[in-house]
Amino acid sequence: MSEGDEIISVRGLNASFGDRQVLHEVSFSIRRGEITLIIGGSGSGKTTVLKHLLHLYEPPKGTVYIFGKDIAEISEDEQTELYLQMGVIYQNGALLNSMTVMENIALLPQQYTDMPEELIQEMVLMKLGLVNLSDAAWLYPSELSGGMLKRAALARAIIMDPPLLFCDEPGSGLDPVSLAALDGLILELKEKLGMTVVMITHEVSSISRIADKVVFLHEGRVLFEGSRDEAMNSELPQLRDYFAKGHGS
Ligand SMILES: Nc1ncnc2c1ncn2[C@@H]1O[C@H](COP(=O)(O)OP(=O)(O)OP(=O)(O)O)[C@@H](O)[C@H]1O
Ligand SMILES: [Mg+2]
């Protein structure tokens, strides 16, 4: 497969909590080597979509294909294999407070590989270098600033060099300078490592900085799917309205 191939395809996805339907016939696709931003107001269903991509829920209707396979149909081994190819920064995901940054990031390779400890440490230090946190390896999460915590979470998500990175609001709570720096790092992951990135965000400024593609969710429906320029120039009233409110900016 080459750059631009479709590697995730969501078709006709519904989701409900109890008798409340929160996703309605959601369909969109993600192409290899691109940064796709999923945008939309609070409660529009963005995190729920992400959780379906990770197969944390069984959809009552609809299908998610990743690397060409229906993720509801794959074996447990294939599921584990797939998880190792997906780095995730969860919306509320924090580092474990009782462990240093190094220990937090080392958890995944310790669990899933036979690599000797020194090699794992080297790997972690390399990733910390990538996110400009080399000096923070032996600090505890409580000793980091908000922006440093986000970058540590990013290092943790990419520790196994996953081809696919999912981030749910990685920039929330950051000042504009830290947010721009985080966007810059994500762009670097795409450009230097060829990662495919799916990022949920409220930050309109991130769209012009890093998006190749935009998916706009409104009340559980995909109202827009297209390139960054198409999004910025769209006449769709709900999208115009969303931009006009300047979410997060
Ligand atoms: N575990 C849950 N149980 C019940 N309802 C839920 C649950 N998770 C989400 N919902 C509901 O589903 C809808 C979509 O929520 P979701 O978290 O996907 O929104 P979001 O777009 O990520 O919002 P935000 O920008 O605030 O993070 C909301 O109405 C929410 O109340
Ligand atoms: Mg959310």
Side-chain angles (χ1 to χ4, degrees):
M1 282 206 225
S2 57
E3 193 168 309
D5 287 332
E6 214 172 87
I7 58 171
I8 299 181
S9 174
V10 178
R11 296 294 133 207
L13 187 70
N14 284 359
S16 302
F17 292 107
D19 53 11
R20 237 186 91 235
Q21 190 172 348
V22 299
L23 296 182
H24 305 264
E25 295 290 328
V26 165
S27 297
F28 64 90
S29 57
I30 305 288
R31 284 193 296 266
R32 180 180 300 268
E34 290 193 346
I35 297 179
T36 301
L37 297 194
I38 299 180
I39 63 170
S42 188
S44 58
K46 304 181 297 298
T47 297
T48 306
V49 167
L50 174 64
K51 288 182 174 170
H52 277 279
L53 296 181
L54 299 170
H55 200 213
L56 299 178
Y57 300 136
E58 286 301 332
K61 183 185 161 296
T63 314
V64 175
Y65 300 93
I66 301 187
F67 300 124
K69 290 188 177 160
D70 177 346
I71 60 169
E73 299 292 330
I74 58 181
S75 68
E76 233 170 81
D77 284 351
E78 284 177 304
Q79 177 91 258
T80 307
E81 182 95 348
L82 187 58
Y83 277 141
L84 290 174
Q85 300 196 57
M86 309 194 294
V88 189
I89 302 180
Y90 291 98
Q91 186 164 14
N92 300 315
L95 303 183
L96 300 170
N97 280 318
S98 57
M99 294 183 176
T100 63
V101 169
M102 167 66 75
E103 289 165 342
N104 265 284
I105 301 176
L107 280 176
L108 200 64
Q110 281 167 348
Q111 192 175 349
Y112 286 101
T113 73
D114 301 324
M115 272 189 253
E117 198 52 37
E118 308 87 78
L119 200 63
I120 292 181
Q121 279 205 12
E122 227 172 88
M123 245 168 82
V124 174
L125 287 172
M126 217 179 79
K127 290 298 188 298
L128 285 175
L130 206 64
V131 301
N132 304 318
L133 269 189
S134 298
D135 296 339
W138 305 106
L139 298 180
Y140 286 88
S142 60
E143 298 172 299
L144 305 187
S145 72
M148 290 166 87
L149 280 171
K150 298 286 181 185
R151 283 182 279 138
L154 178 57
R156 181 177 57 178
I158 61 172
I159 187 62
M160 304 287 280
D161 291 318
L164 248 173
L165 175 65
F166 298 106
C167 322
D168 195 348
E169 306 267 4
S172 64
L174 296 187
D175 63 78
V177 174
S178 307
L179 177 67
L182 189 68
D183 282 350
L185 281 174
I186 287 172
L187 200 57
E188 239 179 85
L189 294 177
K190 172 189 117 160
E191 287 173 352
K192 290 198 182 147
L193 307 178
M195 276 189 196
T196 304
V197 182
V198 180
M199 182 167 134
I200 294 172
T201 185
H202 270 112
E203 310 291 343
V204 173
S205 63
S206 293
I207 298 176
S208 54
R209 267 200 300 260
I210 63 170
D212 293 301
K213 177 175 184 173
V214 173
V215 174
F216 174 59
L217 272 175
H218 182 75
E219 296 174 0
R221 292 181 166 80
V222 174
L223 293 195
F224 172 90
E225 176 181 14
S227 70
R228 162 181 52 194
D229 290 347
E230 285 164 350
M232 301 310 264
N233 297 319
S234 167
E235 304 276 329
L236 185 76
Q238 294 90 338
L239 190 53
R240 293 246 59 84
D241 195 41
Y242 180 78
F243 287 151
K245 284 185 189 142
H247 284 268
S249 57

